Amino acid sequence: MSRYSPVAAILLAAAIFLFDTLTQFDVAIAVLYVAVVLLSVNFTGRRGTLAVAAICIGLTLLSFGVTHGTDMSSGPVARCLVSLAAIAITTGLALRLAATIAITGESERRYRTIFRATGVAILEMDFSALKARLEARRSDGLGSIEEIASRDPGFVREALGLMKLVNANDTTFSTFRVPDLDIFRARLPSLIPREMEPSILLLLDAIWQGRSHFEAEGIMDAIDGKRLNILYTVAMPTDRKALDLVLVSIMDVTARREAENGLHQAQKELAHVSRVATLGELTVSIAHEVNQPLAGVVTNGEAGLRWLKRPEPDLGEVTASIERMIADARRASEVIKRLRALSSKATPQPTLVDINDLVQDTLTLVQREIASQHVALRLSLADGLGRISGDRVQLQQVIINLIVNAIQAMGAMPVGARQLAILSRASEDGIALEIADSGPGFAPADEARLFAAFFTTKPEGMGMGLSICRSIVEAHGGRLRASARPSGGASFEFHLPADKEAA
């Protein structure tokens, strides 16, 4: 249109001038110059439009002079003024329209540049057919997406078929390994696997409730079969109730998830190494805990043999000796079972755990260490705390680490001043366990760094124990904190949420 606009404007201006000059109609023919001004917007800028308006005003005045000369009758003058006003007003409106078009065009170009060049896959979708189907289901008396899905198990796949792809950017094609828009449009529903349907159901619920934004994680397939972990966002403008324009942005987070899984695996490996290292430090205590029941087995076995070798065997004493042997063997077996659990690399198994029982079991493994270091133990375990949900082995690792750290921290203290306190109590959000010592404590400047990886105040320390403890506690939904005691020493306290169903 703009290619022929200059010629059309010239011809139209000439026609209006001739018609206005050569005819005697009592109408404001010069008003038609507004069409010339509007045409000029298509092929000229602001200055050009003003120049065209000036020419139209000049032609209007020239035609008035040729036609009426010095005749200043009210009718011709009024028509001339109306024409001039119309040209001036139209020029102002045309300039404003041109500015608006320019701004809109720049915004459109900017949007298209971002749309095509951004590193996030962006899809322009038309959900109008889906919205109409949902409204129809609402009219049928159905009250929620869950009710629709329960009556029609295939509704999610049907809904996917009603989501029409309008456009997609280049990142979309590279992310899903598709060559062009048509192929992607045809294959899109099949790239959404069954595992994604619960997430799509949540999206449908967001549309049902009239929300303008939805975000979730999910799984999609690339066209070559590669499984992608994605984070997708759906923007549904509130000013387009029909949802004929919906923007879906998709970010491929597969590499991030793989890195997170690798980090999680590394943390598990490190926690396992830490447990084994801790068990190595407790070798003497563990050997004592195992040797005691084994010595009892030997002693009772020898006593049983003596009772059997008597001229008249005392079967009652023999039976009692054998029963004591069985009890000691079970005791040794329990210790070994705990050690195997702590040294294994098994996947965490959440169970209901009584924190007081866990403390008592843990003390079995460190009791010898406490005694050999001449540490006075004060145990205060509150009753009726309920149970927590967590992995027993991991939580026992936390308690062992904190107890061993406390014992080692008091190594330089006088024998009579080594005191270890273990207290459990109910807290606002569940259960709290505190392990406090009477050692030298820590400097205020070190408080913020205590749980940082590789930070340690021990000459031989790795600096991983407290960092692993905090990771385990936080993975259980709790928190671990340290504080310096006013009387000297350090206190480590962790809070874990109580299991509501077990309470």
Side-chain angles (χ1 to χ4, degrees):
M1 174 66 181
S2 60
R3 180 180 177 185
Y4 301 103
S5 293
V7 177
I10 293 171
L11 294 176
L12 181 59
I16 295 171
F17 176 76
L18 292 174
F19 194 73
D20 188 27
T21 304
L22 302 177
T23 61
Q24 298 298 321
F25 293 110
D26 293 334
V27 293
I29 297 174
V31 169
L32 297 177
Y33 282 120
V34 298
V36 178
V37 175
L38 293 175
L39 273 175
S40 69
V41 176
N42 292 324
F43 61 86
T44 187
R46 177 182 178 85
R47 291 184 178 180
T49 301
L50 289 173
V52 170
I55 291 172
C56 291
I57 291 173
L59 291 175
T60 301
L61 294 175
L62 178 59
S63 178
F64 179 83
V66 171
T67 305
H68 301 285
T70 58
D71 182 9
M72 292 298 174
S73 301
S74 59
V77 171
R79 290 193 295 271
C80 181
L81 292 176
V82 167
S83 299
L84 293 175
I87 294 171
I89 293 172
T90 302
T91 301
L93 294 176
L95 291 174
R96 183 176 297 180
L97 175 62
T100 303
I101 292 174
I103 293 172
T104 304
E106 180 62 27
S107 298
E108 178 70 15
R109 284 191 295 273
R110 188 180 297 113
Y111 166 75
R112 288 298 165 189
T113 300
I114 296 173
F115 178 78
R116 296 195 176 281
T118 185
V120 177
I122 301 178
L123 286 64
E124 290 183 355
M125 307 286 292
D126 181 355
F127 283 9
S128 56
L130 172 63
K131 183 67 180 297
R133 182 63 55 88
L134 292 178
E135 292 301 326
R137 294 297 180 94
R138 197 191 298 271
S139 299
D140 292 339
L142 299 178
S144 66
I145 289 294
E146 290 78 7
E147 186 178 356
I148 297 174
S150 64
R151 294 192 181 189
D152 182 6
F155 176 69
V156 173
R157 303 312 301 188
E158 177 191 357
L160 288 173
L162 295 174
M163 299 177 184
K164 302 303 180 183
L165 176 64
V166 178
N167 199 4
N169 65 348
D170 294 339
T171 304
T172 303
F173 303 145
S174 61
T175 299
F176 293 95
R177 282 79 165 172
V178 291
D180 55 51
L181 180 63
D182 292 334
I183 293 177
F184 186 58
R185 182 183 288 117
R187 295 290 301 275
L188 181 56
S190 65
L191 300 181
I192 302 175
R194 294 288 177 183
E195 299 94 313
M196 183 76 164
E197 290 187 6
S199 180
I200 299 299
L201 200 63
L202 293 176
L203 169 60
L204 295 175
D205 185 63
I207 297 173
W208 180 273
Q209 295 180 22
R211 289 160 53 190
S212 60
H213 180 269
F214 178 79
E215 180 176 296
E217 292 193 32
I219 297 173
M220 289 185 69
D221 294 325
I223 202 168
D224 59 2
K226 181 181 178 181
R227 184 58 57 94
L228 303 176
N229 292 294
I230 64 165
L231 172 66
Y232 71 103
T233 302
V234 183
M236 297 163 284
T238 55
D239 58 343
R240 304 183 77 120
K241 299 298 184 182
L243 297 185
D244 56 336
L245 177 60
V246 173
L247 290 180
V248 180
S249 61
I250 300 175
M251 182 181 297
D252 181 5
V253 294
T254 305
R256 183 189 304 175
R257 291 292 171 265
E258 290 175 351
E260 289 175 353
N261 292 337
L263 178 60
H264 180 64
Q265 184 62 33
Q267 288 174 335
K268 287 172 57 180
E269 295 285 346
L270 191 58
H272 174 250
V273 170
S274 176
R275 285 200 301 271
V276 174
T278 303
L279 291 178
E281 294 179 14
L282 299 175
T283 300
V284 175
S285 296
I286 293 168
H288 175 78
E289 290 301 323
V290 175
N291 281 332
Q292 267 194 332
L294 291 181
V297 170
V298 173
T299 301
N300 286 299
E302 291 173 345
L305 284 176
R306 287 196 298 270
W307 290 112
L308 284 173
K309 289 179 179 179
R310 286 192 169 194
E312 291 185 10
D314 190 334
L315 297 181
E317 290 292 343
V318 172
T319 300
S321 295
I322 293 175
E323 288 176 346
R324 288 193 293 270
M325 289 172 61
I326 293 172
D328 285 333
R330 285 176 176 169
R331 180 180 160 195
S333 175
E334 283 298 317
V335 174
I336 293 171
K337 185 166 71 173
R338 294 191 195 103
L339 293 175
R340 289 185 63 186
L342 279 168
S343 61
S344 70
K345 294 173 64 177
T347 303
Q349 299 292 333
T351 58
L352 293 177
V353 179
D354 186 307
I355 197 70
N356 290 343
D357 289 346
L358 189 60
V359 170
Q360 297 285 8
D361 286 348
T362 304
L363 288 175
T364 301
L365 299 177
V366 299
Q367 187 65 50
R368 182 68 178 177
E369 193 76 12
I370 292 173
S372 67
Q373 296 297 321
H374 306 288
V375 174
L377 173 65
R378 180 168 68 89
L379 197 62
S380 178
L381 304 178
D383 296 326
L385 293 180
R387 292 181 290 179
I388 59 176
S389 177
D391 181 80
R392 186 180 184 87
V393 170
Q394 289 188 342
L395 294 175
Q396 190 171 36
Q397 178 181 357
V398 173
I399 297 173
I400 289 177
N401 278 351
L402 295 179
I403 291 176
V404 170
N405 282 352
I407 294 173
Q408 292 176 346
M410 294 185 289
M413 304 295 292
V415 171
R418 300 174 187 174
Q419 298 180 355
L420 174 67
I422 302 177
L423 307 91
S424 68
R425 64 177 183 276
S427 64
E428 293 182 1
D429 51 356
I431 297 172
L433 183 70
E434 180 183 2
I435 298 173
D437 63 67
S438 58
F442 50 84
D446 292 336
E447 183 173 352
R449 300 187 293 163
L450 283 176
F451 298 100
F454 306 115
F455 174 78
T456 179
T457 57
K458 296 185 291 185
E460 312 85 12
M462 294 188 301
M464 294 305 301
L466 290 177
S467 176
I468 292 171
C469 287
R470 170 170 277 187
S471 296
I472 291 174
V473 171
E474 289 180 349
H476 284 75
R479 64 185 187 277
L480 173 62
R481 66 184 183 186
S483 58
R485 303 177 71 192
S487 58
S491 170
F492 289 85
E493 182 177 314
F494 63 86
H495 297 251
L496 294 170
D499 188 89
K500 296 181 180 179
E501 297 182 0

